[in-house]
Amino acid sequence: MTVSTIPGLDAAPTTHAKLLAWVRETAELTEPDRVEWVDGSPEEWTRITDLLVENGTFVRLNDEKKPNSFWCASDPTDVARVEDRTFICSKDPSGAGATNNWMDPDDMKAILTERFRGCMRGRTMYVLPYCMGPLNADEPMLGAEITDAPYVIASMHIMTRLGTKALELFTKDGVEQSFVPGLHSIGAPLAPGQADVAWPCNETKYIVHFPEERLIWSYGSGYGGNALLGKKCYSLRIASVKARDEGWLAEHMLIAKVTNPEGVSRYIAAAFPSACGKTNLAMLEPTLPGWKVETIGDDIAWIRIGADGRFYAVNPENGFFGVAPGTDYHTNPNAMRTIAKGSSIFTNVAMTDDGDIWWEGMGEPPAHLTSWKKADWTPSSEELSSHPNSRYCTPISQCDTRAPEWDDPNGVPLDAIFFGGRRRDTVPLVTEARDWQHGVFMGATLSSETTAAATGAVGVVRRDPMAMLPFIGYNAGDYFAHWIEVGKAADSAKLPKIFYVNWFRRDAEGNFTWPGFGENIRVIKWALERIDGTAAAIDTPIGRVPAPGSLDVSGLAMSATALDDALAVDVEEWQNEIPLIEEWFEKIGGQLPSSLKDELESLKQRLTP
Ligand code: O2Y
Ligand code: MN
């Protein structure tokens, strides 16, 4: 079939020349059987989910349990982000820096062009126009994904503003607007008559970003952040580059509104590494009477400086792609209520015999399940029923705790930024930074034990600066410098205060020292009272921690020793941390700002007896 005869190619619902040219060129390269433009309508959702059921990718769940919802299991080799296959192809290697995989853009394009050649044979090529963030933003953040995976369409229906309403913004007052093109293929062409599999993918994967061109190419994986290109690829890696160039921040942060019993509301953002509880905090049910938390976003924040010199945060997403295991009515009742309303996709969890879903952490397991590996599973099975990185994908609009301003195009003004990691030792429950520069140092040296959100070893401590290690689209040293600069560009009196939290510290017996979940409101309360100047703190070598009696533990069954353990700053442990930070800073190399070196020197001095 020559490109001009590919059905659907000429049925484009736009006159946007660059978009049309890119679609045509891609069809020429990938040779699909047909082209379809995605409109984002409810009818399309029904058609695509029906198709996915027919293909064997989706199983429709019991409408009485999870209405309009679907279960699916990926190929067991395609279950998480592939950091070792993720590339930043800047023109110069220093543009990617020491924390990213780099390849020359022309070399990468040569390799991938051959991978993409004919890769959509036997399949439909879908064109997805979408917008990250509100459609009514001054500058709507447009993207277009070309994909051969209908699973991506169903997921993007939930996670983005998708289809016609986004496409309308591609041309404004007759002027063609720029957009981020993202080419995605599962890399599994079908020969004539060849039967498909439920989760086609390719064992070779590439997740590639060309930052100067604001371009994304993804090959071989159909899963999550590898395939839904609006999420990590656009909203973090490409957006962080755009943000550097334009003076704002694209961050791996939840955004929440916190209201105290007096009715005073404040907005916070928090950067925790993948699968460290951002969604739980974004939907937190406070245990302290009179406190309320409302959700604005659970994974990504775009932070701009407003005309008044304050930081304003927008959530670019339209849904939650949350970690399933461990989520239940105890740990995150709001997530459970959100998915109970239906219209959700569950990937790599277990399915019950009556067409519902189940995962580890949901209480007593049923006597029989179908596991994420599509095998019979009983409570005596040795394997987990659900993959540790299994996910629910559900619309924010269904979340009862969403704040009314969750999709305000101007964003919400931030009062506090929390950095946090998963550390069994060393890092106390909460530490307040002395000032912006010290806070940036805390973020730049953030460390955490790895989780199942990415492939590779789990539980290994690594530096994860600002929880952005896998998502900084450029040189990490330049990224730290940019944080410092953005702080200078804002009104210094209105900068958010920075705190560093660790909900995961353990005692000598290996037990968690802090109960976490809804009790975390106590830490947030202390932080907000620090902003108000009403809570006391003591200075330590690493920053300020709650003074005795200043952290509200009323009604909490927690011994004084456990609280001391949670808050302790152990000088010896921190002295042991210094060589690790030095090693980290050496790795960052010449672009590391001198102000952060100064911070390290001051910390060393403060730790010296
Ligand atoms: O995208 C995936 O494959 C899972 S990773 C993920 C998904 C949603 C939100 N955040 C993450 C992450 O790794 O940070
Ligand atoms: Mn994330």
Side-chain angles (χ1 to χ4, degrees):
M1 200 172 339
T2 62
V3 68
S4 55
T5 60
I6 298 176
L9 185 61
D10 293 324
T14 180
T15 55
H16 194 292
K18 187 179 166 205
L19 178 56
L20 289 174
W22 175 60
V23 168
R24 176 163 287 273
E25 179 190 299
T26 305
E28 222 156 76
L29 177 67
T30 60
E31 301 173 31
D33 279 7
R34 67 192 75 78
V35 173
E36 262 185 44
W37 287 73
V38 163
D39 64 19
S41 65
E43 295 73 32
E44 181 179 80
W45 164 270
T46 304
R47 191 167 52 77
I48 291 294
T49 52
D50 282 352
L51 174 72
L52 284 156
V53 170
E54 200 182 302
N55 291 350
T57 309
F58 274 5
V59 173
R60 178 178 284 282
L61 294 170
N62 182 338
D63 253 359
E64 282 169 22
K65 308 272 178 190
K66 294 282 178 300
N68 191 25
S69 295
F70 302 87
W71 174 83
C72 71
S74 74
D75 185 288
T77 63
D78 192 20
V79 292
R81 287 184 298 97
V82 282
E83 292 183 6
D84 56 332
R85 305 298 306 159
T86 300
F87 296 83
I88 301 295
C89 294
S90 48
K91 287 188 186 131
D92 193 287
S94 70
T99 61
N100 284 308
N101 301 311
W102 178 85
M103 199 190 281
D104 175 81
D106 293 335
D107 293 349
M108 179 60 91
K109 281 189 178 170
I111 293 171
L112 273 182
T113 298
E114 291 320 306
R115 289 268 169 190
F116 281 126
R117 195 176 303 286
C119 71
M120 295 191 188
R121 275 184 216 141
R123 299 193 180 275
T124 302
M125 178 180 118
Y126 299 95
V127 185
L128 288 70
Y130 63 90
C131 181
M132 298 311 296
L135 293 159
N136 57 346
D138 284 346
E139 189 203 326
M141 299 283 273
L142 303 173
E145 175 163 354
I146 290 179
T147 182
D148 50 8
Y151 171 84
V152 168
I153 304 172
S155 306
M156 294 278 277
H157 259 255
I158 296 173
M159 296 303 296
T160 69
R161 281 87 168 170
L162 180 68
T164 308
K165 52 190 187 288
L167 187 59
E168 280 164 3
L169 301 172
F170 275 58
T171 309
K172 190 176 163 194
D173 304 327
V175 180
E176 291 184 359
Q177 305 296 300
S178 61
F179 65 96
V180 172
L183 170 55
H184 169 249
S185 173
I186 49 178
L190 287 170
Q194 184 186 341
D196 206 354
V197 294
W199 189 279
C201 60
N202 194 297
E203 66 183 47
T204 303
K205 298 178 181 22
Y206 286 91
I207 318 297
V208 180
H209 309 74
F210 302 96
E212 287 96 354
E213 282 181 79
R214 317 277 199 252
L215 172 68
I216 305 159
W217 282 6
S218 167
Y219 178 87
S221 167
Y223 195 82
N226 300 333
L228 316 182
L229 302 187
K231 193 171 178 54
K232 304 297 188 181
C233 299
Y234 181 155
S235 296
L236 288 175
R237 298 193 191 96
I238 295 293
S240 64
V241 176
K242 188 169 160 63
R244 173 201 62 192
D245 294 346
E246 297 174 0
W248 51 282
L249 297 166
E251 298 300 323
H252 191 204
M253 291 180 178
L254 69 92
I255 313 167
K257 176 181 183 181
V258 184
T259 306
N260 71 13
E262 289 73 47
V264 178
S265 297
R266 300 216 182 246
Y267 298 94
I268 64 169
F272 305 158
S274 308
C276 285
K278 283 199 303 299
T279 309
N280 289 346
L281 181 54
M283 298 183 190
L284 180 133
E285 285 221 331
T287 52
L288 285 175
W291 285 77
K292 184 173 167 187
V293 172
E294 290 163 275
T295 313
I296 289 167
D298 79 327
D299 196 41
I300 300 178
W302 285 346
I303 304 172
R304 295 186 173 85
I305 303 173
D308 59 358
R310 292 184 78 177
F311 276 26
Y312 285 82
V314 165
N315 170 17
E317 301 196 274
N318 196 49
F320 305 117
F321 195 75
V323 183
T327 307
D328 76 348
Y329 278 96
H330 169 66
T331 59
N332 192 339
N334 290 312
M336 298 304 284
R337 287 183 204 116
T338 309
I339 60 176
K341 291 186 187 160
S343 304
S344 301
I345 301 167
F346 299 92
T347 306
N348 289 345
V349 306
M351 183 170 56
T352 67
D353 294 349
D354 59 356
D356 203 348
I357 40 88
W358 193 87
W359 49 67
E360 277 71 26
M362 246 199 212
E364 278 302 299
H368 178 264
L369 291 166
T370 303
S371 78
W372 76 278
K373 288 190 176 167
K374 295 187 174 170
D376 286 324
W377 188 95
T378 67
S380 58
S381 295
E382 278 177 12
E383 291 198 330
L384 295 172
S385 75
S386 306
H387 187 276
N389 189 40
S390 53
R391 299 277 167 165
Y392 57 81
C393 179
T394 195
I396 297 184
S397 57
Q398 292 181 183
C399 178
D400 292 337
T401 57
R402 74 189 181 285
E405 57 275 52
W406 79 269
D407 60 352
D408 185 334
N410 297 317
V412 294
L414 291 181
D415 293 297
I417 290 176
F418 293 82
F419 293 122
R422 183 184 284 269
R423 287 293 302 266
R424 50 173 55 239
D425 50 40
T426 313
V427 181
L429 179 61
V430 57
T431 315
E432 176 195 324
R434 294 185 169 79
D435 54 28
W436 183 259
Q437 181 175 297
H438 182 223
V440 174
F441 174 78
M442 282 178 165
T445 56
L446 194 156
S447 56
S448 195
E449 292 153 24
T450 50
T451 66
T455 53
V458 168
V460 179
V461 173
R462 70 172 184 183
R463 299 291 134 185
D464 191 345
M466 282 78 173
M468 281 284 281
L469 181 70
F471 309 122
I472 302 171
Y474 58 103
N475 187 304
D478 291 336
Y479 169 76
F480 300 152
H482 180 59
W483 262 81
I484 301 274
E485 287 312 310
V486 168
K488 287 182 189 155
D491 182 332
S492 58
K494 294 175 183 166
L495 279 171
K497 250 187 189 302
I498 297 180
F499 300 86
Y500 188 177
V501 296
N502 176 21
W503 316 132
F504 301 96
R505 198 173 192 180
R506 303 202 190 217
D507 63 17
E509 281 74 51
N511 303 310
F512 286 110
T513 55
W514 179 251
F517 303 109
E519 306 296 359
N520 292 340
I521 190 67
R522 299 168 188 275
V523 173
I524 293 165
K525 179 185 177 204
W526 178 80
L528 297 183
E529 286 173 352
R530 287 294 301 157
I531 293 168
D532 291 337
T534 56
I538 46 174
D539 250 323
T540 79
I542 61 162
R544 301 178 182 130
V545 301
S550 66
L551 184 73
D552 184 348
V553 287
S554 56
L556 193 59
M558 190 175 180
S559 70
T561 333
L563 185 60
D564 287 348
D565 282 349
L567 292 173
V569 177
D570 183 319
V571 169
E572 207 178 308
E573 280 181 335
W574 276 96
Q575 282 166 339
N576 294 337
E577 198 77 3
I578 294 293
L580 305 177
I581 298 176
E582 284 173 333
E583 193 184 320
W584 167 238
F585 276 2
E586 256 164 53
K587 177 175 173 172
I588 299 298
Q591 300 304 103
L592 182 76
S594 56
S595 51
L596 295 192
K597 290 182 202 154
D598 296 345
E599 285 293 333
L600 177 57
E601 282 316 306
S602 319
L603 175 62
K604 274 158 87 172
Q605 276 171 21
R606 292 195 298 268
L607 287 168
T608 307

